[in-house]
Amino acid sequence: HHSTPPLSLFRSTVLFLSFQEMALRTASLLATRSLSRVGTHGARVVPRVNNTASRTASRAFILGSARSYSSYSGSQTQSKNNLPYWMGAGALGVGLAVYQLNDLKKAQAYDTNWDEVRKEIAAVLDNENYDDGSYGPVLVRLAWHASGTYSTFSHDGGSNGATMRFCPESKHGANAGLAVARDLLEPIKRRHPEISYADLWTLAGCVAIEEMGGPKIHWRPGRTDAQTGDACPPDGRLPDASQGQDHVRAIFYRMGFSDREIVALVGAHALGRCHKDRSGYDGPWTRAPTTFSTEFFRELLENKWTLRKWDGPEQYTDPTGELMMLPADMAFVRDPNFKKFVEMYAADEDLWFADFAQAWTKLIELGVEFPEEQKKKCPLNLWAQLQHLLGKK
């Protein structure tokens, strides 16, 4: 397990003290203004107290300010009119405290030796006893299914939360077999308890892509884990392999992807295979299912696909009976706009690699608010803003 360096302890301490000071200063200012207002209604004006007394009063004020303020002499109307103000100001103070605590928690992830985590993921990929000799494809699928539930309409789902750890999401039909991938990563999580499952799953997908010959993926930490299954997205947000282009577009447009990005992402079907005991479908898309390549696009365009005669769901087979395509895959050659991108990527692997890397990073970051983005929304002068707010009242 990677130990926390002294610099991290120093930074964590500073962040904690900043949070404590912010909360105390907020409460102190609110208490001082409350007591000053009491003086204007006939009560004795309390003089400025020293720092220790101020901190003591602050703590008491946090718990009893609303009750004590309304008990002083003065008009009942004045007390009622100020209640929303004090509630709002108090909420702002609490918000500042929560922000500081979240920043402290996420800062710990930045102390992780991510190069070591990458090496540990790469070390568990090869296994001759699993499928085609690699866990790489199923790790890519885990990252994709954990991320592909995001909705730009309701702003929920996505990789943040790692909600597939819980029911009902873990039992969704589209996620059948992904317990293999989640269990594979558990020992790494135990060795690095400071990292989130959400970060680990998405990083594992990126490492698997790179180790199987794919492009370098831009990845960054900062995702957090949900604590219960209440955050699980509804079933039906992942693509249904039995559907056509309208369904495919509806799924991906919900996440904010263009047709070009959709085709780029679907090229990852070059990896892995379907399992009859999971999806009901059976077989690989290509003859190199552990190599990241344009083979999916080439097979889709150049091979001859006919309906497979078997007792399973509708799927397509090539003349050898060794490869398969899903109904949703066939939509990419039947739809003219999709097909032009399939042809483009089949002819230019470098272009596909570049487009895939960009679309994949977008996918695994959907709905994630990283620490550096939170800081932009919560500038360092918030204390000054709070003082200004209270001063204007």
Side-chain angles (χ1 to χ4, degrees), residues 170-286:
S170 62
K171 301 299 183 182
H172 288 172
N175 294 329
L178 286 179
V180 171
R182 298 194 300 269
D183 292 346
L184 181 69
L185 297 174
E186 274 299 322
I188 299 175
K189 172 63 172 153
R190 287 195 293 270
R191 289 192 292 271
H192 302 273
E194 77 282 2
I195 68 179
S196 66
Y197 281 99
D199 274 344
L200 179 59
W201 292 358
T202 52
L203 178 60
C206 296
V207 171
I209 289 168
E210 294 170 11
E211 290 293 317
M212 290 185 288
K216 177 71 176 177
I217 305 293
H218 171 71
W219 179 90
R220 53 180 170 163
R223 297 164 188 79
T224 57
D225 289 337
Q227 299 306 308
T228 70
D230 293 340
C232 287
D235 198 3
R237 286 197 177 177
L238 293 169
D240 181 345
S242 68
Q243 301 296 312
Q245 55 263 41
D246 291 343
H247 168 79
V248 171
R249 282 195 171 95
I251 292 293
F252 282 90
Y253 283 5
R254 187 203 67 229
M255 293 184 278
F257 288 108
S258 66
D259 281 5
R260 179 168 179 160
E261 291 172 318
I262 295 171
V263 178
L265 287 171
V266 170
H269 275 179
L271 302 172
R273 63 172 56 238
C274 289
H275 303 76
K276 192 172 182 180
D277 61 341
R278 298 177 187 177
S279 64
Y281 300 102
D282 181 56
W285 288 270
T286 73

Side-chain angles (χ1 to χ4, degrees), residues 346-365:
D348 192 337
E349 185 176 81
D350 290 340
L351 176 62
W352 176 54
F353 272 29
D355 283 2
F356 176 86
Q358 186 175 17
W360 179 264
T361 297
K362 177 179 175 178
L363 172 69
I364 63 175
E365 292 192 351

Side-chain angles (χ1 to χ4, degrees), residues 3-292:
S3 60
T4 306
L7 180 60
S8 169
L9 290 175
F10 173 75
R11 183 165 66 237
S12 298
T13 302
V14 170
L15 284 171
F16 174 75
L17 292 177
S18 296
F19 146 70
Q20 185 184 53
E21 181 67 17
M22 183 69 73
L24 290 174
R25 289 176 69 187
T26 300
S28 177
L29 181 58
L30 290 172
T32 301
R33 287 195 56 78
S34 178
L35 293 174
S36 297
R37 286 179 176 276
V38 169
T40 65
H41 293 287
R44 181 173 63 87
V45 177
V46 179
R48 183 181 297 275
V49 295
N50 62 35
N51 192 47
T52 302
S54 173
R55 290 171 182 272
T56 303
S58 299
R59 293 185 176 93
F61 179 75
I62 291 173
L63 298 175
S65 60
R67 182 182 61 192
S68 62
Y69 179 70
S70 62
S71 67
Y72 279 108
S73 61
S75 71
Q76 189 174 6
T77 301
Q78 175 72 14
S79 176
K80 289 182 178 179
N81 290 341
N82 279 279
L83 181 59
Y85 162 70
W86 294 116
M87 292 175 64
L92 179 58
V94 172
L96 290 167
V98 171
Y99 170 78
Q100 291 283 353
L101 285 177
N102 285 339
D103 197 51
L104 169 61
K105 182 178 180 180
K106 290 183 178 180
Q108 296 176 348
Y110 284 93
D111 297 323
T112 300
N113 185 339
W114 291 108
D115 287 338
E116 179 60 28
V117 177
R118 282 177 171 272
K119 291 177 182 177
E120 292 182 23
I121 294 170
V124 301
L125 294 181
D126 293 339
N127 188 318
E128 292 299 324
N129 296 319
Y130 182 76
D131 271 3
D132 299 289
S134 174
Y135 284 112
V138 76
L139 290 181
V140 174
R141 181 169 167 249
L142 173 64
W144 152 230
H145 282 217
S147 305
T149 58
Y150 184 71
S151 171
T152 58
F153 306 120
S154 55
H155 303 289
D156 58 5
S159 65
N160 211 37
T163 50
M164 202 192 300
R165 293 173 294 139
F166 306 108
C167 285
E169 189 177 356
S170 62
K171 301 299 183 182
H172 288 172
N175 294 329
L178 286 179
V180 171
R182 298 194 300 269
D183 292 346
L184 181 69
L185 297 174
E186 274 299 322
I188 299 175
K189 172 63 172 153
R190 287 195 293 270
R191 289 192 292 271
H192 302 273
E194 77 282 2
I195 68 179
S196 66
Y197 281 99
D199 274 344
L200 179 59
W201 292 358
T202 52
L203 178 60
C206 296
V207 171
I209 289 168
E210 294 170 11
E211 290 293 317
M212 290 185 288
K216 177 71 176 177
I217 305 293
H218 171 71
W219 179 90
R220 53 180 170 163
R223 297 164 188 79
T224 57
D225 289 337
Q227 299 306 308
T228 70
D230 293 340
C232 287
D235 198 3
R237 286 197 177 177
L238 293 169
D240 181 345
S242 68
Q243 301 296 312
Q245 55 263 41
D246 291 343
H247 168 79
V248 171
R249 282 195 171 95
I251 292 293
F252 282 90
Y253 283 5
R254 187 203 67 229
M255 293 184 278
F257 288 108
S258 66
D259 281 5
R260 179 168 179 160
E261 291 172 318
I262 295 171
V263 178
L265 287 171
V266 170
H269 275 179
L271 302 172
R273 63 172 56 238
C274 289
H275 303 76
K276 192 172 182 180
D277 61 341
R278 298 177 187 177
S279 64
Y281 300 102
D282 181 56
W285 288 270
T286 73
R287 289 183 171 80
T290 61
T291 301
F292 201 85

